[in-house]
Amino acid sequence: MAGVTNLQWVLSALFPNPRVYMDVNQRGLICPVCNDQFKSPLTLPCLHSVCRKCAEEILVSRENEKHVTSGRYTPVNEPRSVLKCPSCKKEVQLDSRGLDGLTENFILRNIIDSMKEAKEYSDLDDDLGVQCDVCQDEPANLAIKTCVKCELCYCEECLNLTHPPGRPLTGHQLIAPTRDPKSNIVRCQDHNEIISLYCEDDDTVVCPTCRAVSHKHHRVIPTDEKYRQMKATLKDSVKSLVNVNSTYVQHIGQLRSVCDGIQGHFDRQEGSVKKEFTDVKALVQQKEKDLLTTIEKERREKVEVRQQQINHYRKTLENTTAAVSFAQEALRERGQASFLQKAHMIDKKVKSALESAPPIQDTELTEMPDNLFEANLDLSDIASLINHKASLSKAPPPPEIRKSQCIVGESSISIRWHVPDPSLYKDYQVQYATPHDVVRMTPRTSENLSVIESLSPGTTYTCTVRGWDREGAVHCSRPVDFKTNEPDPNAPATITLYLTDMEVRGLADAKFTCATTKPADKVQAKWSRDNSVITSSSKYKMTAEDKTLTLTILKVESSDTGEYACEVDDNKTCGQLTIKEPDAPAINIQQCEVEENAIIVRWSVPEDEQYDNFQLLYSKSFQSVGNRFLESSIFKTVNNIKETECKVLGLSPDSHYRFYVRSSTVWGLSQRSTGVLLRTLKKVPPPSFFRQLLGLSVLENESARFSCELSRPVPVTWLKNDKPLPEDSRFQIEVDRRRHVLTISEVKADDAGEYTCDAGRSRSSASLKVKAEPVTFVKPLQDVEVVRHGKATLECEVSRDDAKVRWLKSGMDVKQNIKHDLRHTGRHHQLTINDVRLDDAAEYACEVLHGSGVPSGVRCTAKLKIRGKHRRRLSRLSSRSQCSPS
């Protein structure tokens, strides 16, 4: 095995033929994208794998999305990478590292590399396998054994000839077939003999001479026996190693899930914080906008009022100033006469200015800045509230397992844990597992104590306590290892798994199972039924595997019911076996059919039950006072019914009967259904026809309507020539209580016949005659003029495709020959006259014939004229005859 890796050596030990290993495992080594072996496989969080190159091809980007990873905010314009698993279609969110954030599946990669090496080493390209070295046939048969001494491979036939099974050859050791027998032969370095023995004391391989010389008193066994032992041991070790790998892979997946959960938790927390502050910012900005709008509105109103007052007083001031200036000019006048002339006018103007000047209002000055509207903003409470509410609450401390307070037994562990503040947690759960086993969990509890039972003695279990806080978050304690106590070899066996009551259907197998603290082959188990000891037989099958004892009762019957017990040393466990009674048949009233003198009863039973036969019981019932029905004490029966329906004949019309169905199973139990009351039909006279069908005669493509009326409403069947009507949408059937109508639209010639309305014991019939539509000429014949020895063609078109015609020349029939060519295509008919002569000039006619070939009298005519030299000659002859004397 030199040059082969350890993993390849393990694979070759488990699978001597590498082809088998390849065939078994090639499905799990194929990438679901490229359908080829994995190349640089990456492990996704869903535990599926994909090639790195394939992952780059199916990687997509999502634009315009906010993403929070690793405690930082990704802008809107930065793409967020998403990888969709090709196996389970689950989307995997990638962080800023992209595919580099995924872990390479090194276990899968090593398996693929080792298999490639094993393929090269074992030359798997040879599809013929190991061939026989002795066979003369071409091709040689496949070998089944290799002789170490002969160094040859033998097929089954050659092996029987050279190494007879009844006469073993001395020193000839037969091993599994190999491609190179010499490579598997190991010789002793001291004696140059083939090594065929194994010394267990020295743990080494020896040859026969070594055994006689240096290993004379040692325990020596054949190498093939040791080979099988070591191979079995190695297989168990590899199996355990594979379980360990599976546990690691599962644990890695769980850790990834925990990591993703932590990442998602903090992403949600960061998003929540940003959302809350964004909402607060939006609220503050809206409030700021509202206040500023109010201030602006108040300022505009106040300033506008004061501006109007300023403009009013400015105009008044201009008027008074003008009056003062005019009066001052007058006061400067020194002439008395001139002053007196102007004094009255000036005085009047000054007084007018005084009178028009409004008085100043003191209230106009009251709204000073100190008295105006103020926006009282006190945001200190909001700031303190934000400082108090916007804080990160620290997670509560996880539970702590108190190992000193835990109690460990042979098959149970009592675990206690401690939390500083129990009010922070709602409930707890304990996870436990062996190093090479899957993780198991106990039910949730609100106490700080949990007991794990049904454990294996002398086994180490890793325990972890999980706690759920008030917000639903999970907090885990540190894992703690506990080893259950070793069992006392001298202690009696105890039962760890007890029998349970069981209910099964008849003819099914019932299986009771219990478990003990000692291996099943080292305890004396005694099974009993109703305190009577039972042993293995064709009815009872008892098995013991590991620490489990099983009793199987084959094809249980009603007599197998009772209490079954298993007694191990001083322990006893019991379980009750009951046979599940079959469900009673149920009569389906809706599916039963009633007639005048018979009733068809139908019932249903469970599909998973096996019934032998059914029995139908019925009796006549009589109506008493109060509309109650009394049954007759005389029951009639119909036995050995194999189906789930039965027709009962000989009943009285218009009478009530109560029916029961009794079922019998193949294993002995029977059930009776509930009674169902059914009533036969009244005896009524057969329906008669108040109005019979009348014969019709219509033209083609018209509609024909048959109508009849019965004495009472009954279903009828329409027939044509005593056969069901053809499936044609042209046939329409109408029913109006007692009146029945059959309408045939677009009547054809083949619709003619006798139509019948069948009402069971009464029927009415009438015939339908279809008249052919008269044939007319759509395009009549036209006169034709041709030259002598030319070809003349006469054409016409009729109104129907199936019309028959005949051609006439001057009242005589024209037949098909070399001279006359008669043709027709659909409605078009044509007569061609070849090599026209003088005697062909005549009147031609095309006449329509009836179906029987009788002329109908419908015809069209045309003349055939001949032009050319003969016309001029005829004209000259005519002129000469006119000019000559009489």
Side-chain angles (χ1 to χ4, degrees):
M1 301 292 289
V4 184
T5 61
N6 292 334
L7 182 57
Q8 179 180 341
W9 183 84
V10 171
L11 296 176
S12 62
L14 288 176
F15 306 95
N17 185 359
R19 183 186 309 279
V20 177
Y21 179 78
M22 290 289 292
D23 293 341
V24 172
N25 292 275
Q26 62 182 354
R27 297 180 182 176
L29 306 179
I30 299 300
C31 175
V33 178
C34 61
N35 292 325
D36 198 358
Q37 281 191 349
F38 285 105
K39 299 178 182 63
S40 301
L42 299 178
T43 301
L44 303 180
C46 58
L47 299 184
H48 292 117
S49 299
V50 66
C51 297
R52 184 179 184 89
K53 184 177 180 180
C54 297
E56 293 175 354
E57 293 178 356
I58 63 177
L59 186 64
V60 296
S61 297
R62 288 186 178 176
E63 300 278 346
N64 303 326
E65 185 175 353
K66 293 183 179 180
H67 182 40
V68 180
T69 57
S70 303
R72 67 182 184 87
Y73 172 70
T74 303
V76 175
N77 57 0
E78 184 175 340
R80 176 185 182 185
S81 298
V82 178
L83 180 63
K84 194 171 185 180
C85 176
S87 297
C88 64
K89 308 304 180 184
K90 180 180 180 181
E91 290 189 354
V92 179
Q93 306 291 343
L94 303 179
D95 54 16
S96 58
R97 296 175 296 174
L99 295 178
D100 294 335
L102 300 177
T103 304
E104 184 176 1
N105 194 334
F106 62 91
I107 297 178
L108 191 60
R109 184 193 63 191
N110 291 341
I111 292 176
I112 295 175
D113 295 342
S114 300
M115 290 183 63
K116 290 181 179 179
E117 294 179 7
K119 180 179 179 181
E120 297 175 358
Y121 176 78
S122 58
D123 193 20
L124 289 178
D125 57 343
D126 185 6
D127 296 335
L128 297 178
V130 180
Q131 297 181 352
C132 180
D133 296 330
V134 184
C135 282
Q136 300 299 325
D137 301 334
E138 289 295 339
N141 297 327
L142 293 179
I144 61 171
K145 289 293 182 180
T146 297
C147 181
V148 176
K149 187 171 185 179
C150 299
E151 299 183 356
L152 293 175
C153 298
Y154 298 95
C155 65
E156 184 176 4
E157 183 179 355
C158 296
L159 182 65
N160 294 332
L161 293 176
T162 57
H163 296 70
R167 296 160 52 193
L169 301 179
T170 305
H172 289 255
Q173 181 183 2
L174 300 177
I175 62 175
T178 177
R179 295 178 180 273
D180 186 7
K182 297 181 181 180
S183 62
N184 289 337
I185 298 175
V186 181
R187 295 183 179 273
C188 179
Q189 296 180 357
D190 298 333
H191 306 97
N192 197 25
E193 293 186 10
I194 297 176
I195 295 178
S196 60
L197 301 174
Y198 184 87
C199 180
E200 292 186 338
D201 293 343
D202 295 339
D203 196 15
T204 182
V205 292
V206 297
C207 67
T209 304
C210 292
R211 176 186 181 183
V213 177
S214 56
H215 300 271
K216 185 175 183 181
H217 300 290
H218 293 181
R219 291 179 298 172
V220 179
I221 60 176
T223 54
D224 57 349
E225 181 180 348
K226 187 62 178 179
Y227 167 77
R228 290 191 295 270
Q229 295 178 0
M230 292 296 292
K231 191 173 183 179
T233 302
L234 182 58
K235 283 187 177 181
D236 294 339
S237 301
V238 172
K239 183 177 180 181
S240 301
L241 184 60
V242 171
N243 292 335
V244 171
N245 292 343
S246 301
T247 303
Y248 285 150
V249 170
Q250 182 179 5
H251 190 63
I252 290 173
Q254 293 175 349
L255 290 177
R256 286 184 180 276
S257 300
V258 172
C259 183
D260 293 341
I262 295 174
Q263 182 71 23
H265 171 75
F266 285 103
D267 288 347
R268 290 191 296 273
Q269 293 297 319
E270 187 170 353
S272 176
V273 170
K274 290 186 176 182
K275 181 180 181 303
E276 292 295 334
F277 276 95
T278 300
D279 295 343
V280 171
K281 290 178 183 177
L283 179 62
V284 172
Q285 291 174 357
Q286 183 63 36
K287 194 64 177 178
E288 178 186 8
K289 182 179 178 180
D290 295 343
L291 289 177
L292 292 179
T293 301
T294 304
I295 292 174
E296 180 65 23
K297 179 180 179 182
E298 191 73 18
R299 176 176 59 186
R300 186 169 55 252
E301 292 178 354
K302 297 296 183 183
V303 172
E304 185 177 357
V305 171
R306 296 302 176 266
Q307 193 66 37
Q308 292 176 356
Q309 294 175 355
I310 291 174
N311 294 336
H312 177 68
Y313 285 118
R314 183 182 289 118
K315 291 181 179 180
T316 303
L317 179 61
E318 290 176 355
N319 294 332
T320 56
T321 301
V324 170
S325 299
F326 189 77
Q328 288 178 351
E329 288 293 332
L331 291 175
R332 293 191 189 98
E333 182 66 37
R334 294 186 180 276
Q336 296 179 357
S338 298
F339 175 79
L340 291 175
Q341 289 177 350
K342 302 176 182 178
H344 290 288
M345 183 185 62
I346 295 172
D347 183 58
K348 186 178 179 181
K349 190 173 184 178
V350 171
K351 288 181 179 179
S352 175
L354 289 174
E355 291 176 358
S356 61
I360 296 176
Q361 302 292 334
D362 295 338
T363 58
E364 296 175 348
L365 301 178
T366 56
E367 292 185 351
M368 298 301 292
D370 294 339
N371 301 324
L372 291 177
F373 161 81
E374 292 185 2
N376 296 322
L377 298 178
D378 186 6
L379 304 180
S380 58
D381 294 339
I382 298 178
S384 62
L385 181 64
I386 292 177
N387 291 331
H388 176 69
K389 293 293 184 180
S391 60
L392 298 177
S393 58
K394 189 176 180 181
E400 179 184 359
I401 297 178
R402 297 292 178 89
K403 193 170 184 178
S404 59
Q405 300 179 5
C406 299
I407 302 175
V408 180
E410 288 186 8
S411 59
S412 63
I413 301 176
S414 177
I415 298 179
R416 289 184 178 272
W417 57 88
H418 170 73
V419 289
D421 188 0
S423 62
L424 299 178
Y425 287 92
K426 294 187 298 183
D427 47 13
Y428 309 90
Q429 186 182 59
V430 178
Q431 287 185 341
Y432 61 98
T434 60
H436 309 303
D437 197 2
V438 296
V439 178
R440 288 174 287 182
M441 293 171 287
T442 62
R444 288 193 182 187
T445 179
S446 58
E447 303 294 333
N448 289 14
L449 171 66
S450 180
V451 179
I452 308 173
E453 298 179 339
S454 301
L455 303 179
S456 300
T459 306
T460 300
Y461 291 88
T462 301
C463 302
T464 306
V465 177
R466 306 175 69 201
W468 280 265
D469 59 17
R470 297 299 176 182
E471 297 181 358
V474 181
H475 308 277
C476 300
S477 68
R478 293 180 178 274
V480 178
D481 293 339
F482 295 92
K483 184 176 181 181
T484 54
N485 299 331
E486 296 289 345
D488 186 1
N490 299 324
T494 58
I495 297 176
T496 58
L497 178 63
Y498 297 92
L499 301 181
T500 57
D501 295 340
M502 187 176 303
E503 183 181 25
V504 298
R505 287 189 178 273
L507 297 183
D509 294 342
K511 183 181 291 185
F512 287 100
T513 302
C514 64
T516 64
T517 56
K518 290 185 177 182
D521 56 351
K522 296 183 179 180
V523 298
Q524 294 294 330
K526 183 174 65 175
W527 291 92
S528 61
R529 173 177 170 269
D530 294 336
N531 297 324
S532 299
V533 177
I534 57 177
T535 57
S536 295
S537 62
S538 59
K539 185 67 177 178
Y540 303 104
K541 180 181 178 182
M542 302 176 185
T543 58
E545 183 179 357
D546 197 9
K547 299 180 180 180
T548 303
L549 301 171
T550 303
L551 169 65
T552 305
I553 301 103
L554 304 176
K555 295 183 178 180
V556 297
E557 300 176 356
S558 56
S559 59
D560 294 325
T561 58
E563 184 182 64
Y564 289 80
C566 180
E567 188 173 353
V568 178
D569 293 342
D570 296 335
N571 295 271
K572 185 177 181 180
T573 175
C574 302
Q576 185 72 29
L577 174 63
T578 56
I579 307 300
K580 187 176 181 181
E581 295 185 355
D583 296 334
I587 298 178
N588 301 324
I589 300 179
Q590 302 297 332
Q591 298 182 7
C592 295
E593 299 180 14
V594 294
E595 302 174 3
E596 291 182 4
N597 303 103
I599 295 179
I600 301 177
V601 183
R602 294 185 174 93
W603 58 91
S604 61
V605 292
E607 295 181 358
D608 56 348
E609 189 63 77
Q610 300 182 21
Y611 291 92
D612 187 15
N613 58 69
F614 300 96
Q615 184 184 43
L616 181 65
L617 300 89
Y618 65 96
S619 65
K620 194 171 184 180
S621 299
F622 302 93
Q623 190 171 7
S624 62
V625 181
N627 291 329
R628 297 184 60 185
F629 288 90
L630 301 178
E631 295 182 5
S632 173
S633 59
I634 301 176
F635 277 87
K636 297 183 179 180
T637 61
V638 181
N639 300 318
N640 296 325
I641 304 174
K642 300 300 182 181
E643 303 296 332
T644 55
E645 67 175 40
C646 179
K647 185 174 183 179
V648 182
L649 303 174
L651 304 180
S652 301
D654 194 20
S655 300
H656 291 84
Y657 292 87
R658 190 173 297 276
F659 293 88
Y660 299 89
V661 177
R662 177 177 294 164
S663 62
S664 299
T665 61
V666 295
W667 42 276
L669 286 181
S670 62
Q671 291 285 349
R672 195 181 79 168
S673 68
T674 56
V676 173
L677 190 66
L678 299 175
R679 181 181 181 181
T680 55
L681 298 177
K682 292 182 180 180
K683 189 173 183 178
V684 294
S688 60
F689 283 88
F690 279 176
R691 189 174 65 183
Q692 300 285 342
L693 295 177
L694 299 177
L696 300 175
S697 178
V698 297
L699 294 175
E700 284 186 315
N701 296 324
E702 292 185 350
S703 296
R705 182 183 178 89
F706 288 102
S707 177
C708 63
E709 187 173 354
L710 292 165
S711 58
R712 57 187 175 88
V714 293
V716 300
T717 303
W718 287 93
L719 305 174
K720 176 189 176 184
N721 297 331
D722 290 332
K723 295 182 180 179
L725 293 178
E727 294 183 0
D728 195 335
S729 59
R730 297 184 300 111
F731 292 86
Q732 299 292 332
I733 298 175
E734 301 177 13
V735 179
D736 184 10
R737 294 180 59 80
R738 298 181 302 169
R739 187 165 172 264
H740 299 267
V741 179
L742 171 63
T743 304
I744 308 173
S745 58
E746 298 180 4
V747 175
K748 300 179 181 179
D750 55 358
D751 291 333
E754 185 179 58
Y755 288 83
T756 303
C757 180
D758 188 358
R761 286 179 282 181
S762 301
R763 55 168 43 191
S764 177
S765 301
S767 61
L768 172 64
K769 297 180 180 180
V770 180
K771 297 180 181 179
E773 184 180 359
V775 181
T776 61
F777 284 94
V778 179
K779 181 180 179 183
L781 296 176
Q782 301 292 331
D783 293 342
V784 177
E785 185 178 358
V786 296
V787 297
R788 187 180 178 185
H789 301 297
K791 181 185 293 187
T793 302
L794 299 173
E795 294 181 334
C796 65
E797 181 181 352
V798 296
S799 59
R800 292 178 51 178
D801 294 340
D802 57 349
K804 297 181 180 181
V805 301
R806 70 170 181 170
W807 289 90
L808 303 172
K809 175 186 176 184
S810 300
M812 303 298 292
D813 288 337
V814 178
K815 302 297 182 181
Q816 175 75 28
N817 51 38
I818 299 176
K819 179 72 175 179
H820 302 96
D821 184 13
L822 281 64
R823 296 184 181 182
H824 83 276
T825 304
R827 300 180 181 182
H828 296 272
H829 294 263
Q830 177 180 306
L831 170 61
T832 303
I833 306 171
N834 300 313
D835 190 18
V836 176
R837 298 180 182 273
L838 293 176
D839 56 351
D840 292 328
E843 184 180 67
Y844 289 84
C846 181
E847 185 177 14
V848 178
L849 302 178
H850 288 303
S852 59
V854 178
S856 65
V858 179
R859 62 169 60 182
C860 63
T861 61
K863 293 182 179 180
L864 174 60
K865 300 177 182 180
I866 301 175
R867 70 172 181 269
K869 296 180 180 180
H870 67 282
R871 290 190 67 182
R872 290 193 294 271
R873 186 172 61 180
L874 290 175
S875 64
R876 286 197 300 268
L877 292 175
S878 176
S879 62
R880 288 178 183 177
S881 62
Q882 292 177 1
C883 297
S884 61
S886 56

